[in-house]
Amino acid sequence: IEGRLQTRRVDLLVIDGAAYVYQDNESDRGAVTSFCAALNGLAARYDMAIVLITHESKTTADNDTHAASGSTAWLNASRSVLKLEKDRQDPMKRVLKHIKTNRGRTVQPVVCRAAGGVFTALSFDQKRA
């Protein structure tokens, strides 16, 4: 991937999902931290943002500290963490929550509606929490 980044300008790299690029034990804190550090280094070298999509823990999905399956290092080693939740009252709505940031402040949740495989923001408050 780094070879491609050297030949073109990329502002945002989205990896959907982590299992396609991470082949180690997702519960191994050291391995996860090293992997996330490598992604953070890549982002810094090429002055871009990287979004890594992971699945949440199925056993503790309602707990923000378990927003990623496996080690808590997925969250701890990340600069910022977003979590997409289903709305309990409307199955077509989702809420995108900003649950962690190392730089700056978290932003208010964004309420979205799913239609035809696309999420459309219904509310976006640019005020900071």
Side-chain angles (χ1 to χ4, degrees):
I1 195 169
E2 201 151 350
R4 289 184 181 176
L5 293 173
Q6 292 173 352
T7 62
R8 61 182 67 129
R9 173 74 186 144
V10 175
D11 293 316
L12 175 65
L13 174 65
V14 179
I15 302 169
D16 182 11
Y20 289 112
V21 295
Y22 182 76
Q23 299 301 309
D24 213 331
N25 181 346
E26 71 176 8
S27 296
D28 182 331
R29 182 179 300 249
V32 169
T33 300
S34 293
F35 178 76
C36 289
L39 289 180
N40 287 331
L42 187 68
R45 277 193 306 284
Y46 292 96
D47 190 29
M48 67 177 175
I50 297 177
V51 174
L52 177 65
I53 298 174
T54 66
H55 289 279
E56 65 184 356
S57 171
K58 296 198 185 328
T59 58
T60 54
D62 287 340
N63 186 336
D64 286 345
T65 60
H66 293 91
S69 180
S71 173
T72 56
W74 288 110
L75 305 176
N76 296 337
S78 298
R79 298 276 182 234
S80 187
V81 178
L82 302 170
K83 183 178 180 185
L84 187 64
E85 297 179 340
K86 289 182 180 179
D87 185 275
R88 295 179 194 261
Q89 297 171 347
D90 183 345
M92 298 308 291
K93 280 188 182 177
R94 302 291 187 275
V95 179
L96 184 64
K97 292 173 43 180
H98 191 195
I99 61 174
K100 179 207 169 180
T101 185
N102 285 356
R103 300 178 182 174
R105 297 180 183 172
T106 58
V107 296
Q108 294 293 321
V110 177
V111 179
C112 305
R113 176 169 298 284
V118 175
F119 289 105
T120 304
L122 299 178
S123 70
F124 183 76
D125 184 358
Q126 296 209 356
K127 295 179 191 172
R128 305 244 180 216

